[in-house]
Amino acid sequence: MKIIEITENKKEYLDLLLLADEQEDMIDRYLDHVTMYVLDDNGVKCECVITDEGNGVLEIKNIATVPEYQGKGYAKAMIEFLIKQYHGQYSVLQVGTGDSPLTIPFYEKCGFIRSHSIPNFFTDNYDHPIIECGVQLVDMIYLQRPL
Ligand SMILES: CC(C)(COP(=O)(O)OP(=O)(O)OC[C@H]1O[C@@H](n2cnc3c(N)ncnc32)[C@H](O)[C@@H]1OP(=O)(O)O)[C@@H](O)C(=O)NCCC(=O)NCCS
């Protein structure tokens, strides 16, 4: 298993990126100025994009595992890689996500705790309702863990 930084043609991984962020023009807002990694284990299994948010905060903008390979520890391995790679360079690893049972428990398993939220983020910024587990996402929930 290896984790590789992708510096060119990040859109090659659009199918994976869309799993975490289903509106392509929202991905286009950040894709040019992020750092992207993919986890390769006999083929790409997981991707992650991160940005420097200033004040010692490193933010995960997008993380997704190929559906058939979810639940096998790949995303957790990606988070552990980020912690090792950026320990000492940043003080906090942060992620923003919808209030969904598909994502919040994953981050909590990886040691993140809820910090703050942006009310109406999904309803204000997306052109269609984002539904997960039958529930419409409204607020952006931020979770953080020390780096
Ligand atoms: C969220 C996601 C990235 C997790 O990836 P994954 O590779 O399946 O996660 P892992 O197998 O590394 O899981 C790590 C831990 O979290 C747990 N976990 C993962 N998803 C979970 C869920 N929905 N509910 C409860 N626990 C969950 C796993 O059981 C595992 O626990 P363990 O360490 O005790 O074994 C993946 O489900 C995905 O790609 N979802 C679609 C895209 C998405 O929503 N991305 C996040 C948007 S911000």
Side-chain angles (χ1 to χ4, degrees), residues 16 19-21 46 61-66 69-77 95-98 101-103 105-107 109-110 132:
L16 265 176
L19 288 177
D21 198 347
C46 180
K61 287 280 180 203
N62 189 307
I63 182 167
T65 299
V66 175
Y69 295 97
Q70 289 177 6
K72 296 183 186 301
Y74 285 124
K76 195 174 182 182
V95 65
T97 186
L102 292 179
T103 53
F106 161 70
Y107 292 115
K109 277 275 170 114
C110 293
E132 274 190 23

Side-chain angles (χ1 to χ4, degrees), residues 103-115:
T103 53
I104 302 261
F106 161 70
Y107 292 115
E108 289 176 337
K109 277 275 170 114
C110 293
F112 289 77
I113 53 169
R114 286 179 188 238
S115 66

Side-chain angles (χ1 to χ4, degrees), residues 5-78:
E5 183 174 352
I6 304 298
T7 53
E8 289 176 350
N9 301 326
K10 292 174 187 150
K11 275 241 165 164
E12 197 181 308
Y13 301 96
L14 184 62
D15 286 354
L16 265 176
L17 290 160
L18 286 167
L19 288 177
D21 198 347
E22 66 184 53
Q23 191 172 311
E24 188 173 342
D25 65 335
M26 292 297 282
I27 293 171
D28 290 338
R29 285 192 195 181
Y30 54 71
L31 203 56
D32 278 347
H33 52 269
V34 294
T35 301
M36 179 176 204
Y37 293 103
V38 299
L39 182 154
D40 191 307
D41 186 24
N42 287 319
V44 170
K45 301 294 190 283
C46 180
E47 65 67 33
C48 173
V49 299
I50 53 170
T51 55
D52 179 346
E53 293 293 302
N55 295 319
V57 177
L58 184 68
E59 182 167 317
I60 297 170
K61 287 280 180 203
N62 189 307
I63 182 167
T65 299
V66 175
E68 305 88 284
Y69 295 97
Q70 289 177 6
K72 296 183 186 301
Y74 285 124
K76 195 174 182 182
M78 183 66 94

